[in-house]
Amino acid sequence: MLEITDLNFSYGDKLIFRNASFYAQRGDRVCILGENGSGKTTFLRILAGILFCEMKMNFFGVYDTNVRSVIQRIGFIPDKPYLYDYLTGKENIELIMNIFGESKVKSKVESLCKEFELHEALDNYVKDYSLGMKHKLYMACILSREVDLLLLDEPLSALDEKAQKIALEKLFDFSKRGGVIIFTTHIESVSNCLATKKYIIHDYQLKLLNNA
Ligand SMILES: Nc1ncnc2c1ncn2[C@@H]1O[C@H](COP(=O)(O)OP(=O)(O)OP(=O)(O)O)[C@@H](O)[C@H]1O
């Protein structure tokens, strides 16, 4: 299970979370809802270890006050992919896999790129990719990693319909294998189709919605 309690976070004077709690079980796909500016991306960035704050955490049996000790077990797909424009697709894959020490899954990334019909562009510089192509490349890298928790910020919004279907299949497979997915979306059909649970950020708290 993934359990977070006593989460407090502010940007300077701007309070985002006050003693917030969150809970998910293996296989859960959790949609985080909330108004613009309520803190959805902030929550994902805290769990990804990009923003630091102290909290109480049980990460599948590892107890800690932040995610540093389990960062290798977390995959984060931000709303704008972290890629180098002046490296090719293949070089970006190499770099990302080296960062995560997962060069063994490179063939998995390449086969996912093939499914996304991106393989012919892998020798081109990323600066010449469309936004959707960049998302496909980054998603192929992160979905191929072996992690327990996947964080996705607006995961499907830049993908065409065919790529959305492929990505959804991979996400369903991941949760069937016991992984937890936490995602944000403003598209109701995506949250209805993907979420097993919904939380809403309100009053600096994460509140479980009962009718999800
Ligand atoms: N680096 C930062 N420094 C200061 N304030 C920030 C920073 N990043 C975000 N904020 C503020 O924190 C609040 C929460 O931002 P966040 O991006 O988490 O919201 P969100 O719920 O994801 O919004 P949206 O639905 O528009 O994507 C917003 O008011 C935003 O202006």
Side-chain angles (χ1 to χ4, degrees), residues 11 14 16 34-43 186:
Y11 291 107
K14 186 171 177 59
I16 305 292
E35 290 172 1
N36 289 130
S38 56
K40 300 179 293 297
T41 296
T42 302
F43 181 57
H186 286 292

